[in-house]
Amino acid sequence: MAHKPSEYKSGVYVDWCPGCGNHGIVSALQMALSELSIEPHQLVIVSGVGNAAKLPHFVKANGVHTLHGRLLPFVMGIKMANPALKVIGVGGDGDGLGIGAGHFVNAGRRNIDMVYLLHNNGVYGLTKGQASPTLKLGLKTKALAQPNINERLVAISLAIAAGYTFAARSYAFDLEHLKGTIKKAMEHRGLALVEILQPCPVYNNINTKEWYAGEDRKDAQGRAQSRLYKLQNSGFDPVVHDEDENFKKKLAGIEKAYEWGEHIPIGVFYQNPLEPTFEDRFRDRIPFYLENPPAKQLLKNTDGTSTVNLDKFIVDLKTTHE
C-alpha cells in the first residue's frame, strides 16, 4: 500500500533550531520511505544521543532511542533478531565517530543489511558546539576558545576501509539528491552508510548553508559557485562489478572522499553488491535461521519448560557435512 510522505509524520513537535539541516534530513527520509512503500510497522529507526538522535521521535515507525554512541549494537541486534524488518540507525558525527567509533568500525566486519544515516555538521550541536571528530584541524567555530587541535576523521573513507559495502554522501538541503541516496542505501543488500552534510546555524559559523552554496565565490555574472558537485556527473563509477576490481574501487572511493574545501563530492563513493550479508552467513551456518529467527521463537512453553528442539538443527547439520 502506497503512503504519502506526510503519513510518516509522527505528530510529535519538531523542536530542532530554525535553519538546522536536520529538517531536510527527516523530510528526505519520509519522502524515500514513501517512494519505497515501506509500511511503518515493518520499519525500526534507532538512535543514540544528540540532536540527530531525536529523529525517531518525528517519524511514524518503530523507534528506539538508545545510549550515546551505542546505536549500532542496538540496531544490529534488532536486525539479527528479526531479519524481516527494515532497520535504520541515525546519529550525529560526535555520537558515531567519537564515543561510538569502535562500534562504527566493527560494524563493517559483519555487513548486516541495514542503513546508517550519519549527520555531519562538524560540532556537538546538543552540548554547545564543541569540535566533533569531523571538524578540520585548525578551524575555529564560534563556540571554540581556540582553533580545533585535532585532525578530522573522514567518515566515508573509514567506512570503506572497515568493510561497509555501501558508502555515500549527500547534503541536507538538496532534498532530491538526499532522498535518492537514502533510497539507494535502503535498496542495497548489506551495510550502508549515508553521511549527510548539514549546516548548524547556531554553532558552526564556517560550514554554513551559504558556504556550501559558494556565496563567497561568485563568478563574473554574480552567480554563486557551489562547493558541492555530484559524483554521477563526473564519470565516477563506484560499483564493484567483479571481485577482481574490489580493492581498486575501495581505494578510489577512499581517495575521492578526502576532497574537501573548494570542491566537495556528494553521491555514492563505493558499492559492493557481491559481498554476502551477515544474514547470508548465518543462514549458511543455521539453515532455518531466516524462517525461524529469534524474534519468532517462544522463550518457554506454558508450563515453563524449554521450547528448544534441536532435531531439525541436527538433521540440517548432518546433511551439511555429509
Side-chain angles (χ1 to χ4, degrees), residues 3-292:
H3 292 275
K4 298 178 181 178
S6 59
E7 294 181 59
Y8 292 95
K9 294 183 178 181
S10 67
V12 175
Y13 175 71
V14 180
D15 59 354
W16 288 316
C17 302
C20 175
N22 287 333
H23 291 282
I25 295 171
V26 72
S27 295
L29 175 59
Q30 289 163 341
M31 291 163 62
L33 296 174
S34 170
E35 292 188 9
L36 291 170
S37 298
I38 294 176
E39 294 293 332
H41 71 276
Q42 296 175 331
L43 173 67
V44 183
I45 304 177
V46 182
S47 67
V49 169
N51 274 326
K54 296 179 180 180
L55 188 144
H57 302 187
F58 311 135
V59 179
K60 186 178 179 181
N62 300 294
V64 185
H65 200 158
T66 70
L67 306 173
H68 194 199
R70 311 297 180 220
L71 72 92
L72 281 172
F74 278 89
V75 74
M76 288 189 292
I78 291 169
K79 181 64 176 181
M80 295 313 300
N82 189 350
L85 293 172
K86 290 286 187 181
V87 293
I88 300 174
V90 178
D93 42 351
D95 185 59
L97 298 176
I99 187 173
H103 296 305
F104 183 92
V105 170
N106 278 284
R109 300 168 55 217
R110 300 179 176 90
N111 196 33
I112 291 177
D113 186 19
M114 56 166 281
V115 176
Y116 186 10
L117 303 181
L118 184 75
H119 302 210
N120 181 3
N121 58 20
V123 297
Y124 285 86
L126 186 66
T127 54
K128 311 310 180 204
Q130 302 92 332
S132 85
T134 60
L135 189 69
K136 282 196 71 175
L137 174 67
L139 289 187
K140 182 184 179 304
T141 56
K142 66 182 183 180
L144 300 180
Q146 297 184 44
N148 179 31
I149 199 171
N150 295 312
E151 187 52 87
R152 70 180 178 126
L153 288 177
V154 180
I156 296 290
S157 298
L158 183 60
I160 294 172
Y164 287 61
T165 51
F166 181 100
R169 178 190 291 152
S170 192
Y171 178 55
F173 290 142
D174 187 340
L175 291 188
E176 192 63 29
H177 186 271
L178 179 53
K179 176 200 70 177
T181 305
I182 292 173
K183 285 178 63 178
K184 289 178 183 177
M186 296 193 71
E187 290 169 338
H188 173 75
R189 288 191 76 248
L191 181 55
L193 172 74
V194 180
E195 177 194 18
I196 307 169
L197 304 177
Q198 55 152 144
C200 174
V202 177
Y203 294 115
N204 190 334
N205 57 323
I206 296 174
N207 308 127
T208 62
K209 181 180 180 182
E210 292 74 23
W211 183 84
Y212 281 115
E215 293 289 345
D216 59 330
R217 52 174 201 164
K218 295 181 179 179
D219 62 15
Q221 286 73 43
R223 295 171 298 192
Q225 301 296 299
S226 175
R227 285 180 163 82
L228 303 172
Y229 74 92
K230 295 179 173 65
L231 283 172
Q232 66 265 33
N233 296 336
S234 67
F236 184 80
D237 180 12
V239 181
V240 176
H241 304 283
D242 185 280
E243 278 300 334
D244 291 339
E245 65 178 10
N246 187 29
F247 187 66
K248 181 180 178 181
K249 295 279 186 172
K250 282 189 173 186
L251 288 180
I254 289 171
E255 182 179 18
K256 184 65 70 173
Y258 270 90
E259 288 187 25
W260 184 267
E262 295 306 299
H263 302 284
I264 302 172
I266 58 175
V268 180
F269 290 74
Y270 173 75
Q271 183 174 8
N272 184 357
L274 308 179
E275 185 75 18
T277 66
F278 205 55
E279 295 89 323
D280 293 333
R281 301 174 201 172
F282 252 60
R283 183 191 57 209
D284 291 342
R285 186 165 296 186
I286 306 174
F288 57 85
Y289 164 66
L290 292 177
E291 290 73 32
N292 192 27

